[in-house]
Amino acid sequence: MTTIGIIGSGNIGTAVAKAAIAIGEDVVISNSRGPESLADKIAELGPKAKAGTVVEAAAAGDLVLVAIPLAAITALNPADFDGKVVIDANNYYPQRDGQIAELDDESTTTSELLQRQLPGAKVVKAFNHIQAAQILTTATEAGTESRRALIVAGDDQAAKDAVAAFLDAIGFDALDIGPLSEGWRIQRDTPGYVQQLDREGLREAVSQAKRYADM
C-alpha cells in the first residue's frame, strides 16, 4: 500500500482522497489553514486519513496531489517536493487566478509552471479534466466496456506510469498524451475537457484540440 499526500482540501483533493481510501491507501491531507481546520474532513474520511501541514503531506506521499488555485503554487516550497511524483490537477481561470501572461499568450502550460516552481519534483498532469464528484461516480473496474479514461502528461516516463497505475486502481484507464507541454490539449474549453470518454474517444478529442488563439 502507498500513501497519497494531498495539497488542497477542496473538491478535487477530497474526491481523490476518498477514491484512494476506497482502495486501501492512506491519505495525508493539508490546506493553507493548517491541520486543525481539517478535523471535520478527517472525521468524514475515516481512519485511513490524517491531517497534516503541507510539509507533512508532501513528505508522506508516495504520490503528491497538488489541487490548489493556480495562483497559490508560488507559495509552495520547492525543497518540500524534491524527488516526489507530483500530480498537477490545476487549471487556469483568470477570473480567479489573475492574468498570467505566459498562459495568456500560450507560451507555457499550467503544469510547466508547477514544474518550474518545483524543479526537483517529477510533475505529471492528471485529474484536471474531470468534475470532482465524477472521480467517485464514474469509476469502474478494469476491463469494463467504455471505461472512462483520464490523461497523464509529463516529462518523466516512470512518474507517468506511477500515476497511470493509480488511475487504474481507482477506476480509470489512462491515456498518455506526451510531455507536460502537451497539457494544453485538455485545458478548459477543449473537446475533451470534463467529457466522459473512453480511451479512444479521449485520444480523438485530444487530437482535435486547438489553441485558444485558433478557436
Side-chain angles (χ1 to χ4, degrees):
M1 295 300 173
T2 56
T3 298
I4 310 300
I6 298 179
I7 316 301
S9 59
N11 292 336
I12 291 287
T14 299
V16 172
K18 290 179 178 178
I21 289 166
I23 61 166
E25 308 285 24
D26 293 315
V27 169
V28 180
I29 191 165
S30 67
N31 64 15
S32 60
R33 298 180 300 281
E36 63 283 350
S37 70
L38 292 167
D40 289 345
K41 189 168 296 290
I42 297 305
E44 174 191 358
L45 294 172
K48 298 289 284 183
K50 73 179 208 177
T53 64
V54 170
V55 175
E56 290 167 339
D62 298 289
L63 300 175
V64 181
L65 173 72
V66 173
I68 58 178
L70 183 62
I73 67 171
T74 56
L76 299 176
N77 182 354
D80 296 337
F81 297 85
D82 281 351
K84 295 291 183 175
V85 176
V86 172
I87 304 172
D88 170 40
N90 289 324
N91 288 301
Y92 174 42
Y93 296 104
Q95 66 272 27
R96 177 195 67 187
D97 302 313
Q99 300 297 145
I100 300 173
E102 292 172 286
L103 297 178
D104 290 338
D105 68 15
E106 301 186 89
S107 61
T108 193
T109 63
T110 61
S111 297
E112 288 173 295
L113 288 181
L114 184 60
Q115 182 67 80
R116 187 192 305 169
Q117 177 68 22
L118 308 176
K122 301 168 185 177
V123 173
V124 178
K125 187 76 169 180
F127 290 116
N128 76 299
H129 64 103
I130 181 171
Q131 294 175 347
Q134 292 185 349
I135 293 171
L136 302 171
T137 62
T138 64
T140 55
E141 293 183 1
T144 301
E145 185 176 358
S146 300
R147 191 189 199 202
R148 188 169 186 169
L150 300 177
I151 68 95
V152 293
D155 298 335
D156 183 282
Q157 189 62 50
K160 284 194 288 187
D161 291 345
V163 175
F166 177 63
L167 291 176
D168 181 51
I170 66 169
F172 301 94
D173 285 342
L175 175 67
D176 186 343
I177 65 169
L180 290 178
S181 59
E182 289 294 280
W184 67 270
R185 292 184 174 275
I186 199 68
Q187 64 193 2
R188 57 180 175 77
D189 302 324
T190 55
Y193 187 68
V194 300
Q195 300 302 308
Q196 186 170 341
L197 302 167
D198 64 12
R199 186 183 279 122
E200 290 310 311
L202 184 58
R203 191 190 313 277
E204 178 64 19
V206 166
S207 73
Q208 294 178 354
K210 294 181 180 180
R211 297 280 191 175
Y212 290 135
D214 298 324
M215 288 183 179

